[in-house]
Amino acid sequence: MKFLKIPEATIKRLSVYARYLSNLDAQDRRVISSAELAEECGMNAAQIRKDLAYFGEFGVRGVGYYVKDLLFDIRKILGLNKSWRVALVGVGRLGEALLSYGNFVKQGYHFVAAFDADPAKVGRSIGRDLEVLPMADLPRIVAEREIEIGIITAPAPAAQEVADRLVTAGVRGVLNFAPVRIAVPEGVIVKHVDLTQEFDNLAYLMMTRQQ
Amino acid sequence: MKFLKIPEATIKRLSVYARYLSNLDAQDRRVISSAELAEECGMNAAQIRKDLAYFGEFGVRGVGYYVKDLLFDIRKILGLNKSWRVALVGVGRLGEALLSYGNFVKQGYHFVAAFDADPAKVGRSIGRDLEVLPMADLPRIVAEREIEIGIITAPAPAAQEVADRLVTAGVRGVLNFAPVRIAVPEGVIVKHVDLTQEFDNLAYLMMTRQQ
């Protein structure tokens, strides 16, 4: 499959489609029209067709989409047929919440290690089978467990150093939840997740709606 | 101030700018060039100028932006000069993490109530001064405390009912963290926050970078 430069918004919607298709598939639903899929996802059918058109032809005229096929194709596009090995650094409340969020595993993201700088947290068990490890073990564990993605839920002042350590250890993608920008070398991808932005966006829409 | 239809991406970037300006202001920084602000935020200066141009003229040629003025103006645009009263429903790990995340308060979002359907959680103290309340109290508390925004961190099967109750009680904006689409009546704003999307987006970028 060839990869074009696809708008980020399309990629985000594809992951929404994948989630709904996965629910439908679990209910043994075989076929769905684009109108119905749009309804399920809270979007419009034209948008769905446009998003899918980036990647080729999907669906059958007069029938709709075969749920299993479309799910397979979207998951392939998103790289979700692959399973990703993830480490989390900073086992505070948000870190624990992420570690125990079952949906990540369903989508192919496997937390295979968790680290914390606080000796009081090291050795604690999280979820089914994770144990909080000391930062000193990070380079060895990232290599041994072939970890590709690092999640930073450490406090803001520590975030850059954590990112540096993850990257040095071999991680190629970083999801940063700390409220600070971090820099990574060329070739490594970093995404900043800022939960306050979601609030800001909601507040802005509420305010403009009032006018 | 007039509100135009502004792209969501611009609104999201404005809240990033506001965050950095607020840090600069706390460090008593008076003036910043658009190039420096761009550097701080990890964006490019042209993008910043374009985003701000939606709202009028900012900055002084040859000088840059006055930090305090620009922060004030952006916060006004985003509705952040107003403080928002927020209730959270579903005090699981994610709920607790959100309730204790200090940055929300800094940005004007005040959690003034937390609810849970589980009697075992009712009465528990969260953070400084919140107590988990039973669902039955929701209508009265939302009215009494003039709550405008509801955060749903309840399990997916309960999310729609929680949304219905919040809206009936008078909430006009809902931020839904449950991995399910919810419907709200005309005039109420709902934003879905799907943390898995952030992973999907990162994975996609990592995969395409490898080509």
Side-chain angles (χ1 to χ4, degrees):
Chain A
M1 187 171 303
K2 239 191 118 235
F3 294 98
L4 311 164
K5 172 82 181 146
I6 308 298
E8 193 169 318
T10 293
I11 298 304
K12 290 197 169 173
R13 283 191 297 266
L14 286 179
S15 63
V16 174
Y17 307 153
R19 211 124 316 134
Y20 286 91
L21 289 165
S22 158
N23 291 345
L24 290 166
D25 185 42
Q27 294 156 28
D28 288 324
R29 181 70 183 271
R30 285 191 55 242
V31 176
I32 191 167
S33 69
S34 59
E36 272 177 291
L37 182 60
E39 171 81 33
E40 286 280 329
C41 302
M43 302 191 187
N44 70 69
Q47 182 72 70
I48 292 186
R49 285 191 296 266
K50 197 178 149 199
D51 286 338
L52 293 177
Y54 278 107
F55 304 98
E57 287 204 30
F58 296 91
V60 180
R61 193 173 293 274
V63 175
Y65 300 108
Y66 287 102
V67 170
K68 254 192 214 310
D69 292 353
L70 184 58
L71 178 59
F72 181 86
D73 289 335
I74 293 181
R75 291 178 62 86
K76 195 162 78 178
I77 290 166
L78 292 176
L80 298 181
N81 289 331
K82 169 173 176 12
S83 124
W84 296 87
R85 303 171 67 79
V86 181
L88 180 140
V89 184
V91 189
R93 287 195 183 86
L94 180 60
E96 277 203 56
L98 295 177
L99 288 171
S100 45
Y101 186 59
N103 258 35
F104 293 144
V105 176
K106 257 206 303 203
Q107 300 297 327
Y109 302 101
H110 297 275
F111 286 108
V112 295
F115 301 92
D116 203 287
D118 179 0
K121 286 185 183 158
V122 170
R124 252 174 54 189
S125 292
I126 305 283
R128 283 152 295 256
D129 46 12
L130 272 187
E131 187 193 328
V132 181
L133 302 172
M135 291 301 288
D137 289 359
L138 194 144
R140 181 175 57 82
I141 296 287
V142 166
E144 277 178 13
R145 302 190 185 169
E146 297 175 339
I147 290 165
E148 300 160 285
I149 294 178
I151 311 297
I152 303 180
T153 43
Q160 182 64 58
E161 197 201 320
V162 168
D164 294 344
R165 289 197 193 199
L166 284 165
V167 169
T168 304
V171 158
R172 295 179 307 108
V174 173
L175 209 52
N176 174 35
F177 284 83
V180 63
R181 282 269 132 187
I182 53 174
V184 292
E186 188 75 28
V188 176
I189 315 270
V190 63
K191 297 287 292 174
H192 293 88
V193 184
D194 184 345
L195 295 175
T196 316
Q197 271 188 19
E198 307 286 350
F199 276 86
D200 288 355
N201 202 236
L202 178 74
Y204 178 78
L205 292 172
M206 289 171 70
M207 214 178 47
T208 51
R209 185 66 63 95
Q210 275 182 293
Q211 305 303 303
Chain B
M1 189 171 301
K2 242 193 114 233
F3 293 99
L4 310 163
K5 172 80 181 147
I6 309 298
E8 194 168 316
T10 293
I11 299 304
K12 290 198 172 174
R13 284 191 296 267
L14 286 179
S15 61
V16 174
Y17 307 154
R19 210 126 315 134
Y20 286 91
L21 288 166
S22 159
N23 291 345
L24 290 166
D25 186 41
Q27 294 155 29
D28 287 323
R29 181 70 182 271
R30 284 188 59 242
V31 176
I32 189 166
S33 68
S34 59
E36 271 177 292
L37 182 60
E39 172 81 33
E40 286 281 326
C41 302
M43 304 193 187
N44 71 68
Q47 182 72 70
I48 293 186
R49 284 191 297 266
K50 197 177 149 200
D51 287 338
L52 293 177
Y54 278 107
F55 304 97
E57 287 205 30
F58 297 90
V60 179
R61 191 172 295 274
V63 175
Y65 301 107
Y66 287 101
V67 170
K68 253 192 215 309
D69 293 352
L70 185 58
L71 177 60
F72 180 85
D73 289 334
I74 292 182
R75 291 178 62 86
K76 195 162 78 177
I77 291 166
L78 292 175
L80 297 182
N81 289 332
K82 172 176 174 7
S83 123
W84 295 89
R85 302 173 66 81
V86 181
L88 180 141
V89 184
V91 188
R93 285 195 184 85
L94 180 60
E96 277 203 57
L98 295 177
L99 288 170
S100 45
Y101 185 59
N103 258 36
F104 293 144
V105 176
K106 257 207 302 203
Q107 299 297 325
Y109 303 102
H110 297 274
F111 286 109
V112 295
F115 302 91
D116 203 289
D118 179 359
K121 286 185 182 159
V122 170
R124 252 175 51 191
S125 292
I126 305 283
R128 284 152 293 256
D129 46 10
L130 273 186
E131 186 194 328
V132 181
L133 301 172
M135 290 301 287
D137 288 359
L138 192 144
R140 181 175 56 83
I141 297 288
V142 165
E144 277 178 13
R145 302 190 184 170
E146 298 176 337
I147 290 165
E148 301 159 286
I149 294 179
I151 310 298
I152 302 180
T153 43
Q160 182 64 58
E161 198 201 322
V162 168
D164 294 345
R165 288 196 193 202
L166 284 165
V167 170
T168 304
V171 157
R172 296 179 306 109
V174 173
L175 211 52
N176 174 36
F177 284 82
V180 62
R181 281 270 132 183
I182 53 174
V184 292
E186 187 75 27
V188 176
I189 316 270
V190 63
K191 295 289 292 174
H192 293 88
V193 184
D194 184 345
L195 295 175
T196 316
Q197 271 186 22
E198 307 287 349
F199 277 86
D200 288 355
N201 201 236
L202 179 74
Y204 178 79
L205 292 172
M206 288 170 69
M207 213 179 46
T208 50
R209 185 65 64 97
Q210 275 184 293
Q211 306 303 303

